[in-house]
Amino acid sequence: MYRSAATIVLLSTNSPTHQLTNSPTHQLTNSPLLPLPVILRSSPVRGIAILPESISDLQQRLAAHDYVADRGLALSLFLALRLKRPLFLEGEAGVGKTSLAAAAAAALDTDLIRLQCYEGLDLGHALYEWDYARQLLELRILDATETLNRASVHRELYSEAFLIKRPLLQAIDPARTRPAVLLIDEIDRADEEFEGFLLELLAEFQVTIPELGTLRAAEPPLVIVTSNRTREVHDALKRRCLYQWIEYPSFDKELAIVRARAPEASARLAEQVTAMVQELRRTELYKAPGVSETIDWVTALVALRRDTLDAEAIDETLGVVLKAKEDLESVRGRQASELLERAMVRTASRA
């Protein structure tokens, strides 16, 4: 988690936006078993400008929220802010693509609106839909009170009061006072038809609702699109974005990330686990561990009150870092011991 406090808002798939606060104007309702878009609202930070003044300023702001960004990544994000262009991030799972959006929202003191993509995602769950249940209830109330008027009823039922704003519409809502960070996560899991719709939305940052007219963002949001490259995303979408490939980090960078995200770990343990993960990525694995797995492994070992990494600890906790049966079987035993020896040599050479 990031150091700044956050208020979580869930956009239910069958109800308007609901904020998890004690406010009487918001009530939490049940939602179906579908991926829920999330808005993370950072707490206000006094004295921070909306936009960073330089790349180094942006790096410092991200670091304040436990995100270690090298100059290349910070440069791409800085240009996305200045040029008001979407940023397309590709890389293996667990290298920090999603975390960058959360850190950027916290650094800019604005909302993070996340659209989690999945196969079959449609505009009703991504953009907007009408709250038919409430419309029907309102219609019955008007009928019971004998105040039905065909012309006025249509205007009332198809007003913003009955509009369920999904993440994309939330991000370009003209009523928004500060541009949000819109995270379109794992676009490679969505259908190609959805990509086609995004082309139009990202070009104009506006959408036409037949019953209401055209809604256009007063200020375009910072859009971050991520992909794990499980399939190729169409070039037309990439051309509308700035592009950045995120590699697995170097040993020094990954160690800095681990120290920032798991400060309770001893310096020795952080170095040994980071070195071990670096060695694991050099082997033939079905699924190489990402940075998130490195952090999880360190955190798990701290929970077990271990200050160092040894063969016994590896055998007991290897499932924290490797998530495929084939990988566990191939690494456990002799290969794990050899990898640990190489990791110890690496850490010893730094002493």
mmCIF file of all heavy atoms in Angstrom, residues 12 24 38 43 77 90 107 119 131 133 152 154 174 192 197 220 232 241 246-247 257 288-290 296 325:
data_model
loop_
_atom_site.group_PDB
_atom_site.id
_atom_site.type_symbol
_atom_site.label_atom_id
_atom_site.label_comp_id
_atom_site.label_asym_id
_atom_site.label_seq_id
_atom_site.Cartn_x
_atom_site.Cartn_y
_atom_site.Cartn_z
ATOM 1 N N SER A 12 -20.334 -0.187 -8.666
ATOM 2 C CA SER A 12 -21.053 -1.445 -8.809
ATOM 3 C C SER A 12 -21.577 -1.580 -10.221
ATOM 4 O O SER A 12 -21.871 -0.607 -10.884
ATOM 5 C CB SER A 12 -22.224 -1.484 -7.814
ATOM 6 O OG SER A 12 -23.044 -2.582 -8.096
ATOM 7 N N PRO A 24 -24.222 10.092 4.748
ATOM 8 C CA PRO A 24 -25.582 9.571 4.555
ATOM 9 C C PRO A 24 -26.024 9.585 3.116
ATOM 10 O O PRO A 24 -27.036 9.002 2.778
ATOM 11 C CB PRO A 24 -26.433 10.535 5.404
ATOM 12 C CG PRO A 24 -25.634 11.797 5.458
ATOM 13 C CD PRO A 24 -24.205 11.357 5.472
ATOM 14 N N VAL A 38 -12.486 0.442 -9.721
ATOM 15 C CA VAL A 38 -12.205 1.056 -8.437
ATOM 16 C C VAL A 38 -11.676 2.462 -8.629
ATOM 17 O O VAL A 38 -10.885 2.726 -9.522
ATOM 18 C CB VAL A 38 -11.160 0.222 -7.650
ATOM 19 C CG1 VAL A 38 -10.782 0.923 -6.358
ATOM 20 C CG2 VAL A 38 -11.714 -1.156 -7.342
ATOM 21 N N SER A 43 -5.830 11.406 -0.238
ATOM 22 C CA SER A 43 -6.115 12.505 0.663
ATOM 23 C C SER A 43 -5.346 13.737 0.225
ATOM 24 O O SER A 43 -4.246 13.634 -0.318
ATOM 25 C CB SER A 43 -5.708 12.127 2.091
ATOM 26 O OG SER A 43 -4.341 11.811 2.136
ATOM 27 N N LEU A 77 6.198 9.304 -18.472
ATOM 28 C CA LEU A 77 5.049 9.775 -17.694
ATOM 29 C C LEU A 77 4.986 11.304 -17.707
ATOM 30 O O LEU A 77 3.904 11.889 -17.819
ATOM 31 C CB LEU A 77 5.151 9.256 -16.259
ATOM 32 C CG LEU A 77 4.001 9.627 -15.320
ATOM 33 C CD1 LEU A 77 2.675 9.097 -15.855
ATOM 34 C CD2 LEU A 77 4.260 9.091 -13.916
ATOM 35 N N GLU A 90 3.814 -1.649 -21.557
ATOM 36 C CA GLU A 90 3.862 -3.093 -21.789
ATOM 37 C C GLU A 90 4.995 -3.682 -20.976
ATOM 38 O O GLU A 90 6.000 -3.019 -20.710
ATOM 39 C CB GLU A 90 4.061 -3.407 -23.272
ATOM 40 C CG GLU A 90 2.774 -3.554 -24.048
ATOM 41 C CD GLU A 90 2.982 -4.167 -25.416
ATOM 42 O OE1 GLU A 90 4.025 -3.917 -26.048
ATOM 43 O OE2 GLU A 90 2.080 -4.886 -25.872
ATOM 44 N N ALA A 107 0.726 10.974 -6.299
ATOM 45 C CA ALA A 107 1.692 12.060 -6.472
ATOM 46 C C ALA A 107 1.034 13.327 -7.001
ATOM 47 O O ALA A 107 1.476 14.443 -6.690
ATOM 48 C CB ALA A 107 2.809 11.618 -7.421
ATOM 49 N N GLU A 119 -12.285 -10.520 -20.916
ATOM 50 C CA GLU A 119 -12.943 -10.972 -22.142
ATOM 51 C C GLU A 119 -14.450 -10.767 -22.031
ATOM 52 O O GLU A 119 -15.073 -11.148 -21.047
ATOM 53 C CB GLU A 119 -12.626 -12.445 -22.377
ATOM 54 C CG GLU A 119 -13.143 -12.973 -23.702
ATOM 55 C CD GLU A 119 -12.765 -14.425 -23.948
ATOM 56 O OE1 GLU A 119 -12.022 -14.985 -23.125
ATOM 57 O OE2 GLU A 119 -13.216 -14.987 -24.963
ATOM 58 N N ASP A 131 -30.052 3.148 -15.217
ATOM 59 C CA ASP A 131 -30.505 2.385 -14.057
ATOM 60 C C ASP A 131 -31.978 2.034 -14.261
ATOM 61 O O ASP A 131 -32.878 2.726 -13.784
ATOM 62 C CB ASP A 131 -30.315 3.218 -12.779
ATOM 63 C CG ASP A 131 -30.471 2.376 -11.534
ATOM 64 O OD1 ASP A 131 -31.091 1.298 -11.619
ATOM 65 O OD2 ASP A 131 -29.959 2.783 -10.473
ATOM 66 N N ALA A 133 -33.898 -0.290 -13.118
ATOM 67 C CA ALA A 133 -34.705 -0.609 -11.939
ATOM 68 C C ALA A 133 -35.239 0.670 -11.294
ATOM 69 O O ALA A 133 -36.422 0.755 -10.925
ATOM 70 C CB ALA A 133 -33.872 -1.406 -10.939
ATOM 71 N N SER A 152 -42.726 15.094 -20.252
ATOM 72 C CA SER A 152 -41.872 15.388 -19.097
ATOM 73 C C SER A 152 -41.285 14.122 -18.490
ATOM 74 O O SER A 152 -40.169 14.128 -17.976
ATOM 75 C CB SER A 152 -42.653 16.162 -18.047
ATOM 76 O OG SER A 152 -43.738 15.390 -17.563
ATOM 77 N N HIS A 154 -40.296 11.381 -20.013
ATOM 78 C CA HIS A 154 -39.125 10.940 -20.777
ATOM 79 C C HIS A 154 -37.895 11.754 -20.396
ATOM 80 O O HIS A 154 -36.794 11.214 -20.215
ATOM 81 C CB HIS A 154 -39.398 11.062 -22.281
ATOM 82 C CG HIS A 154 -38.280 10.515 -23.118
ATOM 83 N ND1 HIS A 154 -37.186 11.280 -23.484
ATOM 84 C CD2 HIS A 154 -38.076 9.281 -23.661
ATOM 85 C CE1 HIS A 154 -36.372 10.547 -24.215
ATOM 86 N NE2 HIS A 154 -36.893 9.325 -24.336
ATOM 87 N N PRO A 174 -17.514 16.051 -17.362
ATOM 88 C CA PRO A 174 -17.221 17.487 -17.388
ATOM 89 C C PRO A 174 -17.389 18.161 -16.032
ATOM 90 O O PRO A 174 -16.866 19.261 -15.824
ATOM 91 C CB PRO A 174 -18.226 18.045 -18.416
ATOM 92 C CG PRO A 174 -19.278 17.008 -18.544
ATOM 93 C CD PRO A 174 -18.635 15.704 -18.251
ATOM 94 N N GLU A 192 -11.055 -7.229 -29.306
ATOM 95 C CA GLU A 192 -10.585 -6.220 -30.251
ATOM 96 C C GLU A 192 -11.649 -5.161 -30.517
ATOM 97 O O GLU A 192 -11.318 -4.010 -30.820
ATOM 98 C CB GLU A 192 -10.149 -6.892 -31.554
ATOM 99 C CG GLU A 192 -8.915 -7.770 -31.399
ATOM 100 C CD GLU A 192 -8.428 -8.320 -32.730
ATOM 101 O OE1 GLU A 192 -8.976 -7.894 -33.771
ATOM 102 O OE2 GLU A 192 -7.528 -9.171 -32.725
ATOM 103 N N PHE A 197 -13.454 0.982 -29.874
ATOM 104 C CA PHE A 197 -14.149 2.062 -29.188
ATOM 105 C C PHE A 197 -13.159 2.994 -28.495
ATOM 106 O O PHE A 197 -13.326 4.220 -28.506
ATOM 107 C CB PHE A 197 -15.134 1.497 -28.173
ATOM 108 C CG PHE A 197 -15.678 2.526 -27.232
ATOM 109 C CD1 PHE A 197 -16.625 3.445 -27.651
ATOM 110 C CD2 PHE A 197 -15.209 2.606 -25.930
ATOM 111 C CE1 PHE A 197 -17.109 4.418 -26.795
ATOM 112 C CE2 PHE A 197 -15.689 3.567 -25.066
ATOM 113 C CZ PHE A 197 -16.641 4.471 -25.503
ATOM 114 N N PRO A 220 -8.645 16.677 -20.055
ATOM 115 C CA PRO A 220 -8.486 15.231 -20.256
ATOM 116 C C PRO A 220 -7.748 14.584 -19.098
ATOM 117 O O PRO A 220 -6.831 15.183 -18.526
ATOM 118 C CB PRO A 220 -7.680 15.140 -21.560
ATOM 119 C CG PRO A 220 -7.001 16.453 -21.696
ATOM 120 C CD PRO A 220 -7.912 17.463 -21.071
ATOM 121 N N GLU A 232 -1.237 -9.410 -29.196
ATOM 122 C CA GLU A 232 -0.816 -8.132 -29.763
ATOM 123 C C GLU A 232 -1.975 -7.149 -29.767
ATOM 124 O O GLU A 232 -3.076 -7.477 -30.209
ATOM 125 C CB GLU A 232 -0.292 -8.329 -31.191
ATOM 126 C CG GLU A 232 1.101 -8.932 -31.262
ATOM 127 C CD GLU A 232 2.167 -8.030 -30.661
ATOM 128 O OE1 GLU A 232 2.016 -6.795 -30.734
ATOM 129 O OE2 GLU A 232 3.147 -8.570 -30.110
ATOM 130 N N CYS A 241 -0.863 6.698 -28.407
ATOM 131 C CA CYS A 241 -0.270 6.735 -27.070
ATOM 132 C C CYS A 241 1.241 6.949 -27.146
ATOM 133 O O CYS A 241 1.865 6.700 -28.182
ATOM 134 C CB CYS A 241 -0.540 5.423 -26.320
ATOM 135 S SG CYS A 241 -2.266 4.903 -26.257
ATOM 136 N N ILE A 246 8.460 -1.844 -19.958
ATOM 137 C CA ILE A 246 9.054 -1.933 -18.625
ATOM 138 C C ILE A 246 9.731 -3.285 -18.475
ATOM 139 O O ILE A 246 9.083 -4.332 -18.495
ATOM 140 C CB ILE A 246 7.996 -1.740 -17.520
ATOM 141 C CG1 ILE A 246 7.319 -0.372 -17.675
ATOM 142 C CG2 ILE A 246 8.638 -1.861 -16.144
ATOM 143 C CD1 ILE A 246 6.313 -0.069 -16.584
ATOM 144 N N GLU A 247 11.050 -3.246 -18.356
ATOM 145 C CA GLU A 247 11.833 -4.463 -18.180
ATOM 146 C C GLU A 247 11.803 -4.890 -16.709
ATOM 147 O O GLU A 247 11.419 -4.133 -15.822
ATOM 148 C CB GLU A 247 13.295 -4.198 -18.579
ATOM 149 C CG GLU A 247 13.490 -3.818 -20.025
ATOM 150 C CD GLU A 247 13.579 -5.030 -20.930
ATOM 151 O OE1 GLU A 247 13.439 -6.173 -20.413
ATOM 152 O OE2 GLU A 247 13.795 -4.845 -22.135
ATOM 153 N N ILE A 257 13.395 -0.947 -4.521
ATOM 154 C CA ILE A 257 11.940 -1.127 -4.447
ATOM 155 C C ILE A 257 11.574 -1.962 -3.223
ATOM 156 O O ILE A 257 10.640 -1.623 -2.478
ATOM 157 C CB ILE A 257 11.421 -1.801 -5.736
ATOM 158 C CG1 ILE A 257 11.638 -0.887 -6.945
ATOM 159 C CG2 ILE A 257 9.950 -2.174 -5.589
ATOM 160 C CD1 ILE A 257 11.361 -1.560 -8.273
ATOM 161 N N ALA A 288 8.266 -16.493 -14.905
ATOM 162 C CA ALA A 288 9.302 -15.835 -14.116
ATOM 163 C C ALA A 288 8.659 -14.930 -13.068
ATOM 164 O O ALA A 288 7.632 -14.286 -13.328
ATOM 165 C CB ALA A 288 10.218 -15.021 -15.020
ATOM 166 N N PRO A 289 9.236 -14.844 -11.872
ATOM 167 C CA PRO A 289 8.655 -13.994 -10.825
ATOM 168 C C PRO A 289 8.844 -12.510 -11.129
ATOM 169 O O PRO A 289 9.883 -12.092 -11.648
ATOM 170 C CB PRO A 289 9.435 -14.406 -9.570
ATOM 171 C CG PRO A 289 10.734 -14.936 -10.083
ATOM 172 C CD PRO A 289 10.421 -15.583 -11.402
ATOM 173 N N GLY A 290 7.834 -11.725 -10.802
ATOM 174 C CA GLY A 290 7.916 -10.284 -10.971
ATOM 175 C C GLY A 290 8.377 -9.611 -9.690
ATOM 176 O O GLY A 290 8.657 -10.266 -8.683
ATOM 177 N N ASP A 296 6.512 -9.868 -1.999
ATOM 178 C CA ASP A 296 5.728 -10.850 -1.237
ATOM 179 C C ASP A 296 6.643 -11.830 -0.501
ATOM 180 O O ASP A 296 6.366 -12.204 0.650
ATOM 181 C CB ASP A 296 4.795 -11.626 -2.170
ATOM 182 C CG ASP A 296 3.647 -10.776 -2.679
ATOM 183 O OD1 ASP A 296 3.386 -9.708 -2.099
ATOM 184 O OD2 ASP A 296 3.001 -11.185 -3.670
ATOM 185 N N LYS A 325 3.313 -25.220 -10.986
ATOM 186 C CA LYS A 325 3.738 -26.516 -10.450
ATOM 187 C C LYS A 325 5.038 -26.974 -11.088
ATOM 188 O O LYS A 325 5.943 -27.480 -10.409
ATOM 189 C CB LYS A 325 2.632 -27.544 -10.686
ATOM 190 C CG LYS A 325 2.961 -28.977 -10.266
ATOM 191 C CD LYS A 325 1.763 -29.874 -10.474
ATOM 192 C CE LYS A 325 2.077 -31.327 -10.134
ATOM 193 N NZ LYS A 325 3.006 -31.932 -11.109
#
